[in-house]
Amino acid sequence: MSSLSDAELATQHQRYIATETLVGMVISGVLSVFFVWLIFGSLESVALWGPKGLVVDFIPQTLAICFMAVLVPTLLTRKRLKAGKILPRKAPLLQWLPNNVFLRALTMAVIATVLGGIIGTLALQAINASDWALDHVYIMKTVYGCLVATVCAPIGLAVALGDVQKDD
């Protein structure tokens, strides 16, 4: 791959991050639908609170989606960087995150779960619906899953693009 100007490299990275994030959003949306069906599929409505409530379900959904939205793209990006298919960032980003891909994905997933759980709970309480019709749960959880991927994947990808400069 030839040497690119800073602007060309930034454009390449933006396109790469946008494409990979879109893929992650689609996968997260599909997985969200599957897990709504698996967990809530036999119910007519879903309570806001309780062991099978929407608020509790934000925890595993956010943790799993963010973890996978960081883990898989990071592994793919590292492979593409080593193969020279994409050029690295000139400067690493968020160097406080662990270099170990599993620990990085877990760290980001825990942070996203805390923030997403708080924001999701506040949003659901603001809507003030104690029970949700199952078709609304499918829509809400799918949109939420896509939003989690939209936030987590670009951050993970931007960090991963600087990984070539680190020792594994």
PDB file of all heavy atoms in Angstrom, residues 54-70:
ATOM      1  N   LEU A  54     -37.461  -5.669  31.285  1.00  0.00           N
ATOM      2  CA  LEU A  54     -36.635  -4.974  30.298  1.00  0.00           C
ATOM      3  C   LEU A  54     -35.402  -4.332  30.919  1.00  0.00           C
ATOM      4  O   LEU A  54     -34.330  -4.347  30.323  1.00  0.00           O
ATOM      5  CB  LEU A  54     -37.467  -3.915  29.573  1.00  0.00           C
ATOM      6  CG  LEU A  54     -38.535  -4.440  28.626  1.00  0.00           C
ATOM      7  CD1 LEU A  54     -39.368  -3.291  28.088  1.00  0.00           C
ATOM      8  CD2 LEU A  54     -37.902  -5.209  27.499  1.00  0.00           C
ATOM      9  N   VAL A  55     -35.568  -3.764  32.114  1.00  0.00           N
ATOM     10  CA  VAL A  55     -34.435  -3.086  32.749  1.00  0.00           C
ATOM     11  C   VAL A  55     -33.314  -4.083  33.027  1.00  0.00           C
ATOM     12  O   VAL A  55     -32.148  -3.810  32.733  1.00  0.00           O
ATOM     13  CB  VAL A  55     -34.883  -2.365  34.045  1.00  0.00           C
ATOM     14  CG1 VAL A  55     -33.682  -1.873  34.838  1.00  0.00           C
ATOM     15  CG2 VAL A  55     -35.800  -1.199  33.696  1.00  0.00           C
ATOM     16  N   VAL A  56     -33.647  -5.244  33.562  1.00  0.00           N
ATOM     17  CA  VAL A  56     -32.645  -6.266  33.857  1.00  0.00           C
ATOM     18  C   VAL A  56     -31.994  -6.761  32.564  1.00  0.00           C
ATOM     19  O   VAL A  56     -30.798  -7.019  32.518  1.00  0.00           O
ATOM     20  CB  VAL A  56     -33.267  -7.441  34.654  1.00  0.00           C
ATOM     21  CG1 VAL A  56     -32.284  -8.583  34.810  1.00  0.00           C
ATOM     22  CG2 VAL A  56     -33.746  -6.952  36.012  1.00  0.00           C
ATOM     23  N   ASP A  57     -32.772  -6.869  31.500  1.00  0.00           N
ATOM     24  CA  ASP A  57     -32.248  -7.385  30.235  1.00  0.00           C
ATOM     25  C   ASP A  57     -31.261  -6.434  29.561  1.00  0.00           C
ATOM     26  O   ASP A  57     -30.487  -6.856  28.711  1.00  0.00           O
ATOM     27  CB  ASP A  57     -33.397  -7.715  29.279  1.00  0.00           C
ATOM     28  CG  ASP A  57     -32.915  -8.482  28.060  1.00  0.00           C
ATOM     29  OD1 ASP A  57     -32.321  -9.563  28.243  1.00  0.00           O
ATOM     30  OD2 ASP A  57     -33.112  -7.986  26.936  1.00  0.00           O
ATOM     31  N   PHE A  58     -31.268  -5.163  29.950  1.00  0.00           N
ATOM     32  CA  PHE A  58     -30.267  -4.241  29.398  1.00  0.00           C
ATOM     33  C   PHE A  58     -28.850  -4.682  29.747  1.00  0.00           C
ATOM     34  O   PHE A  58     -27.917  -4.452  28.993  1.00  0.00           O
ATOM     35  CB  PHE A  58     -30.464  -2.812  29.929  1.00  0.00           C
ATOM     36  CG  PHE A  58     -31.428  -1.988  29.147  1.00  0.00           C
ATOM     37  CD1 PHE A  58     -32.553  -1.469  29.750  1.00  0.00           C
ATOM     38  CD2 PHE A  58     -31.208  -1.720  27.807  1.00  0.00           C
ATOM     39  CE1 PHE A  58     -33.446  -0.704  29.040  1.00  0.00           C
ATOM     40  CE2 PHE A  58     -32.098  -0.946  27.082  1.00  0.00           C
ATOM     41  CZ  PHE A  58     -33.221  -0.443  27.701  1.00  0.00           C
ATOM     42  N   ILE A  59     -28.687  -5.305  30.904  1.00  0.00           N
ATOM     43  CA  ILE A  59     -27.340  -5.680  31.364  1.00  0.00           C
ATOM     44  C   ILE A  59     -26.700  -6.708  30.435  1.00  0.00           C
ATOM     45  O   ILE A  59     -25.646  -6.424  29.847  1.00  0.00           O
ATOM     46  CB  ILE A  59     -27.379  -6.152  32.834  1.00  0.00           C
ATOM     47  CG1 ILE A  59     -27.791  -4.985  33.728  1.00  0.00           C
ATOM     48  CG2 ILE A  59     -26.030  -6.717  33.258  1.00  0.00           C
ATOM     49  CD1 ILE A  59     -28.158  -5.375  35.143  1.00  0.00           C
ATOM     50  N   PRO A  60     -27.289  -7.896  30.248  1.00  0.00           N
ATOM     51  CA  PRO A  60     -26.620  -8.850  29.357  1.00  0.00           C
ATOM     52  C   PRO A  60     -26.597  -8.409  27.895  1.00  0.00           C
ATOM     53  O   PRO A  60     -25.635  -8.690  27.178  1.00  0.00           O
ATOM     54  CB  PRO A  60     -27.425 -10.147  29.531  1.00  0.00           C
ATOM     55  CG  PRO A  60     -28.742  -9.726  30.069  1.00  0.00           C
ATOM     56  CD  PRO A  60     -28.488  -8.475  30.868  1.00  0.00           C
ATOM     57  N   GLN A  61     -27.641  -7.695  27.462  1.00  0.00           N
ATOM     58  CA  GLN A  61     -27.665  -7.251  26.060  1.00  0.00           C
ATOM     59  C   GLN A  61     -26.532  -6.270  25.790  1.00  0.00           C
ATOM     60  O   GLN A  61     -25.782  -6.425  24.822  1.00  0.00           O
ATOM     61  CB  GLN A  61     -29.004  -6.609  25.699  1.00  0.00           C
ATOM     62  CG  GLN A  61     -29.050  -6.173  24.241  1.00  0.00           C
ATOM     63  CD  GLN A  61     -30.323  -5.450  23.843  1.00  0.00           C
ATOM     64  OE1 GLN A  61     -31.075  -4.964  24.688  1.00  0.00           O
ATOM     65  NE2 GLN A  61     -30.567  -5.361  22.543  1.00  0.00           N
ATOM     66  N   THR A  62     -26.390  -5.280  26.639  1.00  0.00           N
ATOM     67  CA  THR A  62     -25.345  -4.274  26.433  1.00  0.00           C
ATOM     68  C   THR A  62     -23.957  -4.896  26.555  1.00  0.00           C
ATOM     69  O   THR A  62     -23.085  -4.647  25.717  1.00  0.00           O
ATOM     70  CB  THR A  62     -25.488  -3.123  27.447  1.00  0.00           C
ATOM     71  OG1 THR A  62     -26.827  -2.637  27.415  1.00  0.00           O
ATOM     72  CG2 THR A  62     -24.521  -1.993  27.138  1.00  0.00           C
ATOM     73  N   LEU A  63     -23.775  -5.728  27.580  1.00  0.00           N
ATOM     74  CA  LEU A  63     -22.480  -6.367  27.786  1.00  0.00           C
ATOM     75  C   LEU A  63     -22.085  -7.217  26.583  1.00  0.00           C
ATOM     76  O   LEU A  63     -20.979  -7.093  26.056  1.00  0.00           O
ATOM     77  CB  LEU A  63     -22.518  -7.227  29.051  1.00  0.00           C
ATOM     78  CG  LEU A  63     -21.193  -7.744  29.558  1.00  0.00           C
ATOM     79  CD1 LEU A  63     -20.340  -6.613  30.105  1.00  0.00           C
ATOM     80  CD2 LEU A  63     -21.412  -8.779  30.649  1.00  0.00           C
ATOM     81  N   ALA A  64     -23.005  -8.040  26.100  1.00  0.00           N
ATOM     82  CA  ALA A  64     -22.702  -8.943  24.984  1.00  0.00           C
ATOM     83  C   ALA A  64     -22.480  -8.180  23.678  1.00  0.00           C
ATOM     84  O   ALA A  64     -21.523  -8.468  22.937  1.00  0.00           O
ATOM     85  CB  ALA A  64     -23.835  -9.954  24.809  1.00  0.00           C
ATOM     86  N   ILE A  65     -23.342  -7.226  23.390  1.00  0.00           N
ATOM     87  CA  ILE A  65     -23.214  -6.510  22.113  1.00  0.00           C
ATOM     88  C   ILE A  65     -21.942  -5.682  22.082  1.00  0.00           C
ATOM     89  O   ILE A  65     -21.195  -5.715  21.100  1.00  0.00           O
ATOM     90  CB  ILE A  65     -24.461  -5.655  21.826  1.00  0.00           C
ATOM     91  CG1 ILE A  65     -25.619  -6.584  21.466  1.00  0.00           C
ATOM     92  CG2 ILE A  65     -24.199  -4.660  20.697  1.00  0.00           C
ATOM     93  CD1 ILE A  65     -26.934  -5.888  21.266  1.00  0.00           C
ATOM     94  N   CYS A  66     -21.666  -4.939  23.135  1.00  0.00           N
ATOM     95  CA  CYS A  66     -20.448  -4.117  23.129  1.00  0.00           C
ATOM     96  C   CYS A  66     -19.205  -5.003  23.099  1.00  0.00           C
ATOM     97  O   CYS A  66     -18.260  -4.717  22.353  1.00  0.00           O
ATOM     98  CB  CYS A  66     -20.414  -3.189  24.330  1.00  0.00           C
ATOM     99  SG  CYS A  66     -18.993  -2.059  24.290  1.00  0.00           S
ATOM    100  N   PHE A  67     -19.207  -6.075  23.880  1.00  0.00           N
ATOM    101  CA  PHE A  67     -18.052  -6.981  23.893  1.00  0.00           C
ATOM    102  C   PHE A  67     -17.766  -7.486  22.482  1.00  0.00           C
ATOM    103  O   PHE A  67     -16.633  -7.418  22.006  1.00  0.00           O
ATOM    104  CB  PHE A  67     -18.306  -8.152  24.858  1.00  0.00           C
ATOM    105  CG  PHE A  67     -17.148  -9.095  24.965  1.00  0.00           C
ATOM    106  CD1 PHE A  67     -16.073  -8.795  25.783  1.00  0.00           C
ATOM    107  CD2 PHE A  67     -17.123 -10.284  24.244  1.00  0.00           C
ATOM    108  CE1 PHE A  67     -14.990  -9.662  25.885  1.00  0.00           C
ATOM    109  CE2 PHE A  67     -16.056 -11.156  24.338  1.00  0.00           C
ATOM    110  CZ  PHE A  67     -14.975 -10.845  25.167  1.00  0.00           C
ATOM    111  N   MET A  68     -18.780  -7.984  21.799  1.00  0.00           N
ATOM    112  CA  MET A  68     -18.580  -8.535  20.454  1.00  0.00           C
ATOM    113  C   MET A  68     -18.307  -7.437  19.430  1.00  0.00           C
ATOM    114  O   MET A  68     -17.554  -7.646  18.477  1.00  0.00           O
ATOM    115  CB  MET A  68     -19.795  -9.369  20.033  1.00  0.00           C
ATOM    116  CG  MET A  68     -19.975 -10.620  20.884  1.00  0.00           C
ATOM    117  SD  MET A  68     -18.505 -11.660  20.999  1.00  0.00           S
ATOM    118  CE  MET A  68     -18.405 -12.277  19.347  1.00  0.00           C
ATOM    119  N   ALA A  69     -18.898  -6.251  19.622  1.00  0.00           N
ATOM    120  CA  ALA A  69     -18.688  -5.135  18.696  1.00  0.00           C
ATOM    121  C   ALA A  69     -17.271  -4.585  18.786  1.00  0.00           C
ATOM    122  O   ALA A  69     -16.808  -3.889  17.879  1.00  0.00           O
ATOM    123  CB  ALA A  69     -19.703  -4.018  18.959  1.00  0.00           C
ATOM    124  N   VAL A  70     -16.570  -4.894  19.866  1.00  0.00           N
ATOM    125  CA  VAL A  70     -15.173  -4.494  20.009  1.00  0.00           C
ATOM    126  C   VAL A  70     -14.249  -5.670  19.678  1.00  0.00           C
ATOM    127  O   VAL A  70     -13.277  -5.511  18.934  1.00  0.00           O
ATOM    128  CB  VAL A  70     -14.890  -3.951  21.431  1.00  0.00           C
ATOM    129  CG1 VAL A  70     -13.404  -3.695  21.634  1.00  0.00           C
ATOM    130  CG2 VAL A  70     -15.695  -2.687  21.685  1.00  0.00           C
TER     131      VAL A  70
END
